[in-house]
């Protein structure tokens, strides 16, 4: 069974601060997805990384896939209140295209 | 692109009744769709994997006779909660995976359905 450990589980910071969310596993994934979810809505895909060592940037968000494709990180620069939400990492490569989800990071950015 | 809709967005029903939730991929074909359940401030819990034209595969602990899944076409899957009880109240989310290729791992999620059973 593949497991994806996501940390921290909760994060409350002030506007303008930087933060990093981590997802780690002992298993190799064919891809790693990051989603952001707001209360009462479905998760929205932020990025998919598929190559070991890959780095993708989305405005103030930087995503990295580990060289061995076992871990990933999400770094947010100068966080804003609009970044508040539940961030989920998910590893691909499971049977029948199932994803392995981390437990999520609930981020609150205070103005 | 890659839009998934879900209907209804919320539903309130009486205990013992059945509720059907629809999930549609609007601009792509999805050979595989997934149904999740989510409790407040928690991650997604996979209930079942639905493949077009075949029986759904349920995760351990999910009652297949209670949560009926039908994947009638490449763009539509339905989840029917039969004889709903208050403990079935939850946020149900579907997702759809494109047909093939490197993007097959990526799932696109619907907006969710809030079910409240009285």
């Amino acid at each position: 069974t593949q497991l994806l450990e996501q940390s921290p589980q909760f994060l409350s910071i002030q506007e303008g601060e930087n933060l990093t969310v981590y997802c780690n596993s002992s298993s190799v994934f064919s891809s790693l997805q990051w989603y952001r979810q707001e209360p009462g809505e479905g998760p929205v895909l932020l990025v998919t990384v598929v190559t070991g060592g890959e780095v993708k940037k989305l405005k103030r968000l930087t995503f990295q896939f580990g060289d061995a494709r076992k871990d990933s990180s999400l770094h947010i620069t100068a966080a804003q209140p609009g970044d508040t939400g539940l961030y989920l990492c998910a590893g691909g490569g499971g049977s029948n295209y199932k994803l392995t989800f981390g437990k999520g990071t609930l981020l609150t950015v205070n103005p | 692109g890659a839009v998934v809709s879900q209907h209804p967005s919320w539903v309130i029903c009486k205990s013992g009744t059945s509720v059907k939730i629809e999930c549609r991929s609007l601009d792509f074909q999805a050979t595989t769709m997934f149904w999740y359940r989510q409790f407040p401030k928690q991650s997604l819990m996979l209930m079942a994997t639905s493949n077009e034209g075949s029986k759904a595969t349920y995760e351990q602990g999910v009652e297949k006779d209670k949560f009926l899944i039908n994947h009638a076409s490449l763009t539509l899957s339905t989840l029917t909660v039969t004889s709903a009880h208050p403990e079935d109240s939850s946020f149900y989310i579907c997702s759809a995976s494109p047909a093939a290729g490197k993007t097959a791992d990526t799932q696109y999620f619907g907006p969710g359905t809030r079910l409240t059973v009285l």
Side-chain angles (χ1 to χ4, degrees), chain B residues 18-63:
Chain B
S18 295
V19 173
K20 180 186 282 189
I21 303 170
E22 289 188 353
C23 177
R24 293 180 185 272
S25 57
L26 299 185
D27 52 2
F28 66 99
Q29 292 187 330
T31 50
T32 309
M33 288 184 168
F34 304 85
W35 288 96
Y36 295 86
R37 185 171 179 177
Q38 186 178 35
F39 295 102
K41 297 184 180 180
Q42 293 186 21
S43 188
L44 306 177
M45 187 173 68
L46 180 65
M47 298 174 65
T49 303
S50 165
N51 290 297
E52 185 262 339
S54 63
K55 289 184 179 180
T57 303
Y58 291 82
E59 294 300 299
Q60 193 171 12
V62 177
E63 300 175 58

Side-chain angles (χ1 to χ4, degrees), chain A residues 9-10 30-31 33 35 37 40-45 48 50-51 86 88 91-99 101-104 106, chain B residues 31-32 34 36 38 41-44 46 49-51 57 59 91 93 97 99-102 104-112 114:
Chain A
Q9 192 174 353
F10 300 97
S30 61
S31 66
Q33 279 74 237
Y35 295 88
Q37 185 183 22
E41 299 182 10
V44 174
L45 179 69
T48 298
V50 296
T51 306
L86 178 67
L88 298 161
S95 61
N96 209 9
Y97 304 116
K98 286 197 293 188
L99 292 176
F101 277 89
K103 290 193 172 181
L106 192 58
Chain B
T31 50
T32 309
F34 304 85
Y36 295 86
Q38 186 178 35
K41 297 184 180 180
Q42 293 186 21
S43 188
L44 306 177
L46 180 65
T49 303
S50 165
N51 290 297
T57 303
E59 294 300 299
F91 193 52
I93 310 175
S97 182
K102 276 193 173 181
D105 273 350
T106 300
Q107 293 179 21
Y108 298 94
F109 286 84
R114 171 70 59 192

